[in-house]
Amino acid sequence: MEVTKTGEEPVPSTKRHRPNTPITKGPSVDDFTPTSMTLDAFNQLSRNQKKKVLRQELWDQRSGEFREKQRAKRSVLRKRHKQRVKLGEVPAKRKLDEQERSGHSIIIDMDFDEKMHDTEIKSICSQLVRCYSTNRHGPQFVDLHITKLHERCRARFDKAIADHTEWPASRIMFHDTELLDVFGADKLVYLTADSPNEITELDTQKVYVVGGLVDKNRYKRLTLDKAEQMGVAHARLPIGQYVQMASRKVITVNQIFEILVKFVETGDWKRAFLEVIPQRKFNEGKSGGAKAVKDADGAAEGVEAEDTNEAEVSEEADDVSDRESSV
């Protein structure tokens, strides 16, 4: 066995790869010639900016091939699913006319484009796709509204989720106006973790606002301050009354939406929290798993939006579109 100069055995590498498979490296920024800008402009960028341009151009070149592979894979899965439906192993997917309108309204406020980084823009767009998917396939649906998409979110939707214009307006409605232009201030209740108020029920006469923001807790009181400036009511979800969370009380926009939809369906906050919030965010007892709160005398915590561990938005949008065509 090979030994080092110190007489110790070398530490084996933790990197794993298939035997007899050559490891190939992608192009380096040092010898890369961009197509989206001039070489002089590219050379003036920082190294990190060059890497960003490189990754984007490589994705643009390979995205078609990647999507075709994903579509082929999903086609196989759909055929397998249809076979399982025929055998009675899984229930059939719901059609639009099989869903029941709940009468509740939720609006996602997208007026935070300039507050997010590019990766967060991708994440919030992905979360909107998931909100639509939840509303499209549950036993009940809510009236889901999206306020005006600003520059980067609009560009992201037009490029990666272009078929969103074909989604049924009964399940998601995109507006070209801001929050107060869609509903009057007297009907709105802004959901924010910083609010001292706590909701116990959802009123069909009210419209509940979720801030369309991924900020990793950079902006304190942002949504509460906005609600107060607009003169609208505000409240937080009663998470602390029902469950204890091991990590910070931060969940994604689509998870907030799923919690609201689940509560509309079941009328049970505890069940909604436990079924939607990832188990890793709960305190664990000796036996593991979620820990429900037995004594709700303490102050309840609210929720804020955080980033998701997302795949490409385009892949998720394709998946939604494939499910649309299969029902």
Side-chain angles (χ1 to χ4, degrees):
M1 176 180 289
E2 181 184 355
V3 289
T4 63
K5 293 181 179 180
T6 60
E8 298 176 352
E9 295 182 3
V11 178
S13 172
T14 57
K15 295 183 178 180
R16 299 177 61 187
H17 62 274
R18 294 179 180 178
N20 302 323
T21 301
I23 300 176
T24 58
K25 292 185 178 180
S28 168
V29 294
D30 297 322
D31 52 17
F32 176 70
T33 302
T35 59
S36 59
M37 62 175 64
T38 64
L39 186 58
D40 289 340
F42 181 74
N43 289 332
Q44 292 176 7
L45 300 176
S46 68
R47 191 167 185 83
N48 283 337
Q49 290 173 325
K50 289 179 180 179
K51 290 180 179 179
K52 182 177 178 181
V53 172
L54 171 60
R55 286 194 298 267
Q56 184 60 49
E57 291 201 7
L58 289 177
W59 168 250
D60 291 340
Q61 294 171 11
R62 302 169 182 173
S63 59
E65 178 184 353
F66 172 79
R67 288 175 182 143
E68 284 301 321
K69 289 181 179 179
Q70 292 300 310
R71 289 191 184 101
K73 181 178 179 180
R74 285 193 292 271
S75 177
V76 173
L77 292 177
R78 283 197 302 273
K79 291 179 181 178
R80 187 180 302 169
H81 177 78
K82 289 180 180 179
Q83 184 64 30
R84 294 185 66 193
V85 170
K86 289 181 180 179
L87 296 175
E89 296 178 359
V90 294
K93 295 178 180 178
R94 292 184 179 87
K95 298 181 179 179
L96 283 174
D97 57 6
E98 294 176 340
Q99 287 185 289
E100 179 182 351
R101 183 174 180 270
S102 67
H104 291 274
S105 298
I106 299 171
I107 186 166
I108 299 180
D109 181 12
M110 296 298 294
D111 190 28
F112 302 101
D113 197 287
E114 76 286 353
K115 301 289 186 183
M116 292 181 281
H117 303 311
D118 288 345
T119 55
E120 294 167 342
I121 290 291
K122 294 180 182 179
S123 181
I124 190 62
C125 291
S126 178
Q127 292 178 37
L128 291 185
V129 173
R130 295 175 188 181
C131 289
Y132 164 69
S133 181
T134 296
N135 206 37
R136 171 64 185 82
H137 296 97
Q140 296 187 52
F141 67 92
V142 302
D143 296 339
L144 173 59
H145 300 266
I146 311 296
T147 65
K148 182 178 179 179
L149 297 175
H150 290 267
E151 184 177 353
R152 288 181 295 162
C153 283
R154 168 57 64 190
R156 184 68 179 170
F157 262 82
D158 290 344
K159 180 178 180 180
I161 323 172
D163 62 348
H164 73 278
T165 56
E166 301 175 7
W167 295 349
S170 60
R171 301 304 186 268
I172 185 169
M173 184 173 294
F174 291 89
H175 297 271
D176 291 327
T177 53
E178 302 296 351
L179 187 59
L180 289 180
D181 298 322
V182 182
F183 294 102
D186 59 324
K187 291 181 66 70
L188 299 176
V189 178
Y190 215 117
L191 298 178
T192 170
D194 298 310
S195 175
N197 309 317
E198 189 172 273
I199 59 174
T200 56
E201 298 292 337
L202 296 180
D203 187 350
T204 55
Q205 302 303 310
K206 296 292 184 179
V207 179
Y208 295 91
V209 186
V210 178
L213 176 68
V214 176
D215 69 336
K216 304 297 181 67
N217 276 348
R218 291 194 304 275
Y219 304 107
K220 304 300 181 184
R221 289 179 52 93
L222 180 64
T223 50
L224 177 60
D225 289 342
K226 180 174 183 179
E228 292 177 342
Q229 290 170 5
M230 292 190 302
V232 305
H234 49 79
R236 62 184 180 186
L237 298 183
I239 292 182
Q241 288 194 27
Y242 299 94
V243 294
Q244 293 179 358
M245 295 175 66
S247 62
R248 53 194 179 142
K249 281 62 178 177
V250 180
I251 54 180
T252 62
V253 169
N254 61 289
Q255 288 167 355
I256 297 171
F257 179 78
E258 289 176 31
I259 288 170
L260 295 173
V261 171
K262 181 63 68 173
F263 178 76
V264 167
E265 176 188 338
T266 65
D268 187 336
W269 283 117
K270 181 178 178 181
R271 178 178 171 184
F273 294 138
L274 292 178
E275 291 188 10
V276 174
I277 299 175
Q279 288 294 310
R280 67 179 183 276
K281 288 185 175 290
F282 289 119
N283 280 342
E284 294 187 355
K286 294 181 179 179
S287 60
K291 183 177 181 181
V293 172
K294 296 181 180 179
D295 185 358
D297 291 336
E301 295 290 342
V303 292
E304 297 176 5
E306 73 163 355
D307 193 7
T308 56
N309 184 14
E310 60 140 358
E312 281 294 328
V313 180
S314 55
E315 179 183 351
E316 183 137 9
D318 284 345
D319 187 38
V320 171
S321 299
D322 287 340
R323 282 184 284 174
E324 288 289 287
S325 62
S326 65
V327 295

